[in-house]
């Protein structure tokens, strides 16, 4: 639980000129007496590409802090344009309001800031060198981004829990009570079962191999199958057929079919084409 809670922030001069100071009205609540002061800072982000252009506009120490609701005014200088790239002066950027206790940041509020010229003519055609005196800033105060951090305040009880927590009793456990011992035993039993199963499969495979060998021996020593030999009576001697008989058969097909039969064979029908397309 945070000892200091931010209740609200009001920007008193918004919109304003780019060269005007930032003026914030800050309200917060303190739940117990603090030994040290609160440090508030305002940071301007000069460029989105590098943090080397960030500027700390101002910082303020507030204290001693009475218990209850407190309100004060925080005024910070405008950013120095000499430390901002010309290309990043116009457009959208960010300002960060932070608060720390004893060097430990516990709250951060971010605001978007839009910088543009006061006239539409300059916005439509901005000059190469920005005219800072004619630039106006507008802080989007209604859409802040608030981030809170748990820190240690004055007492150890307020310190956030460490992660992972210390477990000194874990070093005092006996070896047989070591975490994961049951899991190791289960793994050993599974490995033994797997080894026994593999041994059974090996013996079964060996027995099957012996049986196959015996069957192979029976086939080799027994009578050959009739299907393995072709009888001379069933064989066809193509060489004994005369060329005259083959020619007569071919001529008979051509005469019976005629030219129409040849045309049908050479030009497949639409149905046959469709079957070929589906097959591909």
């Amino acid at each position: 639980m945070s000892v200091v809670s931010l209740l609200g922030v009001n920007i008193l001069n918004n919109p304003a000129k780019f060269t005007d100071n930032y003026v914030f009205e800050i309200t917060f609540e303190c739940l117990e007496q603090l030994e040290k002061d609160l440090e508030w800072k305002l940071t301007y982000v000069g460029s989105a590409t590098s943090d080397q252009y960030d500027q700390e506009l101002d910082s303020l120490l507030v204290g001693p802090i009475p218990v209850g609701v407190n309100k004060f005014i925080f005024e910070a200088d405008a950013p120095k344009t000499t430390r901002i790239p010309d290309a990043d002066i116009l457009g959208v950027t960010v300002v960060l309001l932070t608060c720390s206790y004893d060097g430990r940041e516990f709250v951060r509020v971010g605001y978007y800031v839009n910088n543009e010229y006061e006239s539409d003519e300059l916005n439509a055609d901005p000059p190469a060198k920005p005219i800072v005196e004619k630039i106006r800033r507008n802080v989007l105060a209604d859409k802040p981004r608030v981030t809170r951090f748990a820190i240690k305040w004055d007492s150890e009880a307020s310190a956030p829990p460490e992660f992972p927590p210390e477990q000194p009793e874990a070093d005092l456990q006996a070896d047989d009570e070591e975490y994961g011992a049951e899991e190791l035993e289960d793994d050993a039993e599974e490995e033994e079962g797997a080894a026994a199963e593999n041994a059974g499969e090996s013996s079964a495979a060996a027995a099957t191999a012996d049986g196959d060998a015996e069957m192979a021996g029976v086939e080799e020593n027994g009578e050959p199958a009739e299907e393995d030999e072709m009888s001379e009576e069933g064989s066809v001697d193509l060489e004994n057929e005369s060329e005259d008989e083959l020619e007569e058969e071919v001529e008979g097909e051509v005469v019976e079919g005629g030219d129409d039969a040849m045309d049908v064979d050479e030009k497949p029908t639409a149905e046959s084409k469709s079957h070929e397309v589906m097959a591909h």
Side-chain angles (χ1 to χ4, degrees):
M1 181 178 178
S2 180
V3 176
V4 176
S5 300
L6 183 63
L7 301 180
V9 178
N10 293 326
I11 303 176
L12 301 182
N13 58 340
N14 188 51
K17 291 182 176 294
F18 184 88
T19 55
D20 290 346
N21 292 345
Y22 287 85
V23 182
F24 293 89
E25 182 185 64
I26 302 173
T27 305
F28 65 94
E29 182 180 13
C30 184
L31 300 180
E32 61 184 50
Q33 191 70 39
L34 295 177
E35 299 176 358
K36 300 178 182 179
D37 297 340
L38 297 177
E39 183 179 14
W40 298 84
K41 291 182 181 180
L42 185 65
T43 303
Y44 184 89
V45 178
S47 176
T49 59
S50 176
D51 57 357
Q52 65 176 342
Y53 301 108
D54 293 356
Q55 299 183 43
E56 182 180 316
L57 302 182
D58 207 345
S59 61
L60 178 67
L61 292 175
V62 178
I65 306 297
V67 177
V69 178
N70 300 272
K71 181 185 296 185
F72 69 99
I73 302 297
F74 181 26
E75 185 172 353
D77 297 334
K80 296 179 174 60
T81 57
T82 55
R83 298 177 55 185
I84 304 174
D86 292 343
D88 295 324
I89 292 179
L90 293 174
V92 179
T93 186
V94 174
V95 291
L96 300 174
L97 177 66
T98 63
C99 188
S100 304
Y101 181 75
D102 196 18
R104 296 182 288 271
E105 180 181 337
F106 65 90
V107 66
R108 176 184 301 178
V109 185
Y111 295 96
Y112 287 109
V113 181
N114 185 30
N115 299 316
E116 60 181 0
Y117 285 108
E118 297 175 349
S119 62
D120 295 336
E121 292 78 8
L122 290 175
N123 287 324
D125 187 17
K129 184 68 175 178
I131 305 175
V132 180
E133 295 77 11
K134 296 184 178 181
I135 297 178
R136 177 184 58 187
R137 71 165 185 254
N138 184 18
V139 181
L140 303 182
D142 57 338
K143 296 181 180 180
R145 178 69 180 271
V146 182
T147 307
R148 296 177 174 84
F149 308 95
I151 66 168
K152 172 188 173 182
W153 297 87
D154 292 331
S155 62
E156 293 293 338
S158 63
E162 295 182 0
F163 184 82
E166 296 182 359
Q167 295 179 336
E169 66 279 1
D171 298 334
L172 302 178
Q173 291 181 348
D175 294 339
D176 56 351
E177 296 179 358
E178 184 179 358
Y179 177 77
E182 296 179 358
E183 287 78 359
L184 293 176
E185 292 178 359
D186 294 339
D187 293 342
E189 293 178 358
E190 292 179 359
E191 292 179 356
E192 292 177 359
E197 184 178 354
N198 293 335
E201 292 178 355
S202 300
S203 60
T208 304
D210 295 339
D212 293 342
E214 293 176 1
M215 293 297 295
V218 170
E219 292 179 357
E220 292 177 357
N221 298 329
E223 296 181 358
E226 295 181 357
E227 295 179 356
D228 294 340
E229 291 185 358
M230 294 183 62
S231 63
E232 295 181 358
E233 296 178 355
S235 61
V236 177
D237 188 0
L238 296 178
E239 295 180 356
N240 294 332
E241 288 187 311
S242 64
E243 295 181 357
D244 296 337
E245 294 177 355
L246 294 176
E247 291 179 357
E248 290 177 0
E249 292 176 3
V250 173
E251 291 177 357
E253 291 176 359
V254 173
V255 171
E256 291 177 3
D259 295 337
D260 295 337
M262 292 297 292
D263 294 340
V264 172
D265 293 338
E266 292 179 357
K267 298 179 180 179
T269 62
E271 182 178 0
S272 63
K273 289 182 178 180
S274 64
H275 286 297
E276 292 176 0
V277 174
M278 293 298 292
H280 288 291

